[in-house]
DNA sequence: ATTATCATGTAACCTGTTACATGATTAG
DNA sequence: CTAATCATGTAACAGGTTACATGATAAT
């Protein structure tokens, strides 16, 4: 039950529409939580019903009108309560790892392409994260000392970067292993 | 739709009961896929209905009887088909990261304990993985060159180890950041 | 013409979690 | 006597995915 809370955090950082939230989940929030627009609209409806968020109808020209959501007092309270509850460490889901172990019962060499493809996708992600870090957290845009929000955003981004780097190194290990096995 | 496939891989490595599968998902398979016994029994029922697996009733003394499942031809074919399909790189879900960014709107110092707790849990996991590696993949029990299955199991375990090490380093970064913010 | 972007939603389905339920044996 | 291990399941609910659905503007 954390999509609600991820949305609350995002709306506290910056109010916005369901569409805008969906875009943020593709970008910055995407490196620690994912959600599609269908999920977001559903949850926004529930959160509005529960009084966690307020809506403001924003008419626009040359674009469809939008509903801008912002966090209400009850939402802030719900977030605060959740922050003080312990959660259990997340467990991983690596579909690719299932495939790698499954390859023992099929042709390991056939997996090489797939692993290379994943390596490419993770390289792209890492590149985007690093570009974001350079843009938002270095030079004149570095967070001022005491800018808690920005500092915390940065440490989470560093987590995303560390994850992608570790994944790339592991995929290279996997490729070397698969190639060694394919040679015989 | 990978629980089916994870179960197929596990049953190919070693036939077993739903209970045994649940235990494996807590251990070796747990570092890349999780499932509870409820989920496993439900999926085993469906897989049996689809003819992917065969059941053998095994009477036992001093223990409840068990149903031993093994992979049928149709199951092997289904696994093989899935192995040849491309999958999209897994997206991450780090509930703790949601909390860290949320802490900007609450008390960051209050998160320190929680992060320390997670650090402890990941340390335990890493210790277990390393013990498993030592036991199963070094010394006299090292996989013979050409033992594809064992080699692939090892590379997946190395992925679990790399993940835990990266996570621990990141959590230390998070702790340092939170402590710095709490000092002011 | 076609594709991309902005903007919102419904419906059906599949997956995952939590709680409930039973019952024997073995070790402390 | 209490907890752990072995063994299997049901039921209700929450969360996530896929497909369908609409409709405007702007850029190529």
């Amino acid at each position: 039950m954390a999509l609600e809370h991820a949305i609350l955090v995002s709306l506290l950082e910056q109010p916005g529409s369901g569409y805008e939230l969906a875009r943020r989940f593709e970008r910055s929030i995407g490196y620690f939580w994912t959600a599609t627009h269908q999920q977001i609209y559903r949850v926004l409806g529930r959160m509005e019903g529960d009084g966690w968020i307020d809506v403001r109808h924003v008419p626009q020209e040359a674009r469809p009108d939008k509903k801008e959501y912002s966090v209400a007092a009850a939402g802030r309270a719900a977030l605060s309560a959740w922050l003080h509850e312990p959660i259990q460490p997340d467990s991983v889901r690596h579909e690719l790892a299932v495939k790698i172990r499954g390859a023992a019962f099929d042709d390991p060499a056939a997996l090489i392409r797939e692993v290379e493809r994943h390596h490419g996708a993770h390289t792209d992600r890492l590149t985007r994260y690093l570009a974001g870090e350079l843009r938002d957290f270095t030079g004149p845009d570095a967070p001022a000392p005491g800018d808690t929000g920005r500092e915390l955003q940065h440490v989470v981004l560093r987590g995303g970067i560390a994850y992608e780097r570790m994944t790339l190194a592991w995929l290279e290990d996997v490729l070397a292993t698969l190639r060694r096995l394919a040679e015989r």
Side-chain angles (χ1 to χ4, degrees), chain A:
Chain A
M1 210 198 266
L3 177 54
E4 276 94 332
H5 304 109
I7 288 176
L8 286 172
V9 170
S10 190
L11 289 179
L12 281 168
E13 288 175 353
Q14 175 82 51
S17 67
Y19 185 84
E20 281 160 356
L21 283 168
R23 305 219 67 205
R24 291 184 212 167
F25 274 85
E26 278 172 13
R27 294 165 189 279
S28 73
I29 303 170
Y31 47 80
F32 59 90
W33 205 265
T34 48
T36 58
H37 81 272
Q38 293 89 338
Q39 248 183 298
I40 290 167
Y41 284 119
R42 194 208 289 165
V43 172
L44 281 173
R46 185 170 61 216
M47 289 169 79
E48 197 196 330
D50 291 343
W52 287 19
I53 51 178
D54 295 320
V55 204
R56 195 170 62 92
H57 188 256
V58 180
Q60 295 188 118
E61 281 165 45
R63 281 183 194 190
D65 294 356
K66 66 176 181 177
K67 296 185 191 173
E68 195 182 73
Y69 292 96
S70 53
V71 179
R76 256 194 111 104
L79 180 66
S80 183
W82 177 73
L83 286 171
H84 289 272
E85 272 169 31
I87 50 172
Q88 46 182 110
D90 303 289
S91 45
V92 206
R93 292 255 158 115
H94 285 315
E95 216 173 338
L96 191 61
V98 181
K99 278 200 169 194
I100 292 165
R101 259 169 85 155
F105 306 98
D106 203 83
D107 177 20
L111 251 185
I112 292 175
R113 291 249 175 153
E114 173 81 342
V115 176
E116 283 170 344
R117 210 170 51 80
H118 284 247
H119 190 277
H122 283 281
T123 303
D124 292 349
R125 261 196 229 170
L126 176 60
T127 305
R128 267 194 293 117
Y129 292 178
L130 288 173
E133 187 180 38
L134 207 65
R135 181 180 8 92
D136 299 330
F137 299 106
T138 58
D141 292 325
D147 188 343
T148 307
R150 303 276 312 288
E151 293 260 28
L152 293 174
Q153 282 177 26
H154 191 190
V155 79
V156 170
L157 174 56
R158 289 201 296 273
I161 291 169
Y163 177 80
E164 296 304 328
R165 286 203 167 119
M166 177 280 297
T167 301
L168 285 172
W170 177 61
L171 289 176
E172 283 151 26
D173 183 7
V174 171
L175 280 172
T177 305
L178 288 174
R179 290 195 179 115
R180 228 185 321 111
L181 291 169
E183 261 169 35
R184 304 205 203 100

